[in-house]
Amino acid sequence: MTKILAIANQKGGVGKTTTSVNLAASLAACEKRVLLVDLDPQGNATMGSGTNKQALKTTVYHVLLGEAAIPQARIGSEQGKYDLIPANRDLAGAEVEMVEFAQRESRLKTALAEIQGDYDYVLIDCPPSLNLLTLNGLCAAHAVMIPMQCEYYALEGLSDLVNTIKRVRAGFNPTLRIEGLLRTMFDPRNILAQQVSDQLQKHFGEKVYRTVIPRNVRLAEAPGFGLPVLCHDAQSKGAQAYLDLAKEVLNA
Ligand code: ATP
Ligand code: MG
């Protein structure tokens, strides 16, 4: 069965896209069939997968508006060995344009239903906000992966997200679960990061992934080459951490 994971946190710059791209490539390296959906008008997952977002004719925007089906929008990431539904700035208009649609929160879910059997995993890279795009991601997903930096305000932001997930569960997607919390850009020498990490484990226990993603310059460089880190420097700590995460996800 296909597992659909929304990678979400309304806080910006916490590693959602880095996780989406590198988990997609790592699951593909484990012989899984993977589709990555870029649901952010910034198009970072698209660029990070080696696709020029400016040159695209068909994107997730057309899928959400019902102007294209997923087979028309998807492209292959040759290096990363996964498929991608790309996004660019057009997507910023989708929210307004979808207002008139009935069931506007489940447009992505409906589109994905048609191709589900094609993949083992569908990963959805959500934008840094709790808007209609993120709502589409959460309605389409079986579970949510929450990347977070272990900083002072992280736990506060987390309670907003947990409340949103509860509301989505009550209104649209009763079986939506939190798949796991992922500590990103982690620096073990930082005492505050250690403290926040301890609190996270105390509150969320088993929901916190054992894999910790370290701060690693190779992870930050790779998108500049349009590559997952596995294709940029497979031996790096960052690449190894995302392979470990893929194994944890596979064993879940
Ligand atoms: P946004 O909210 O804007 O979509 P995001 O949550 O998707 O951001 P990323 O784009 O993945 O976050 O990461 C933010 C920045 O931090 C990027 O420049 C990225 O390259 C860098 N980065 C992410 N993870 C790491 C890491 N483990 N080590 C070093 N740099 C990282
Ligand atoms: Mg992002």
Side-chain angles (χ1 to χ4, degrees):
M1 208 192 93
T2 310
K3 185 157 190 179
I4 306 180
L5 285 177
I7 297 170
N9 189 337
Q10 77 280 7
K11 209 162 158 32
V14 296
K16 293 179 289 295
T17 301
T18 303
T19 298
S20 301
V21 168
N22 290 299
L23 181 60
S26 299
L27 287 168
C30 298
E31 309 287 326
K32 296 295 164 191
R33 298 166 305 159
V34 183
L35 176 69
L36 171 59
V37 181
D38 189 349
L39 204 51
D40 185 346
Q42 296 181 100
N44 293 342
T46 300
M47 299 291 277
S49 299
T51 297
N52 178 1
K53 63 183 174 185
Q54 266 102 26
L56 295 163
K57 284 214 175 69
T58 311
T59 66
V60 72
Y61 166 81
H62 302 94
V63 172
L64 290 173
L65 288 171
E67 292 170 8
I70 285 182
Q72 280 123 39
R74 69 181 157 196
I75 47 182
S77 149
E78 276 174 37
Q79 301 267 11
K81 298 194 176 69
Y82 55 87
D83 285 352
L84 169 76
I85 305 195
N88 59 22
R89 290 198 66 81
D90 290 349
L91 185 56
E95 198 161 13
V96 178
E97 290 171 61
M98 285 196 297
V99 163
E100 62 197 55
F101 294 146
Q103 292 173 329
R104 54 184 174 271
E105 71 289 335
S106 52
R107 309 284 300 182
L108 182 63
K109 182 187 170 116
T110 307
L112 284 174
E114 288 179 32
I115 50 89
Q116 269 204 39
D118 297 358
Y119 299 99
D120 299 307
Y121 286 90
V122 176
L123 305 181
I124 305 171
D125 183 24
C126 293
S129 103
L130 296 173
N131 60 10
L132 184 54
L133 292 171
T134 298
L135 188 57
N136 262 270
L138 295 178
C139 285
H142 299 121
V144 193
M145 178 183 289
I146 307 173
M148 56 181 297
Q149 270 183 277
C150 290
E151 291 176 343
Y152 185 66
Y153 291 117
L155 292 168
E156 205 173 281
L158 200 54
S159 71
D160 290 342
L161 182 55
V162 168
N163 284 331
T164 299
I165 292 168
K166 280 186 190 149
R167 281 204 302 276
V168 171
R169 220 181 265 148
F172 308 108
N173 185 358
T175 55
L176 183 67
R177 307 178 281 105
I178 293 181
E179 175 82 6
L181 292 147
L182 177 67
R183 292 162 286 177
T184 60
M185 295 181 237
F186 196 77
D187 176 0
R189 291 164 305 181
N190 180 326
I191 291 172
L192 177 64
Q194 277 291 358
Q195 288 171 345
V196 174
S197 172
D198 290 348
Q199 278 187 358
L200 206 60
Q201 282 175 310
K202 212 157 110 197
H203 285 285
F204 290 92
E206 289 286 289
K207 287 280 177 201
V208 182
Y209 288 108
R210 281 191 302 281
T211 305
V212 176
I213 309 298
R215 187 169 282 285
N216 176 251
V217 70
R218 293 290 189 235
L219 282 170
E221 283 168 5
F225 299 95
L227 291 173
V229 71
L230 210 47
C231 307
H232 175 55
D233 182 352
Q235 299 309 317
S236 62
K237 288 217 164 76
Q240 293 303 316
Y242 276 108
L243 279 173
D244 288 345
L245 178 66
K247 286 178 202 144
E248 216 179 320
V249 167
L250 288 172
N251 289 328

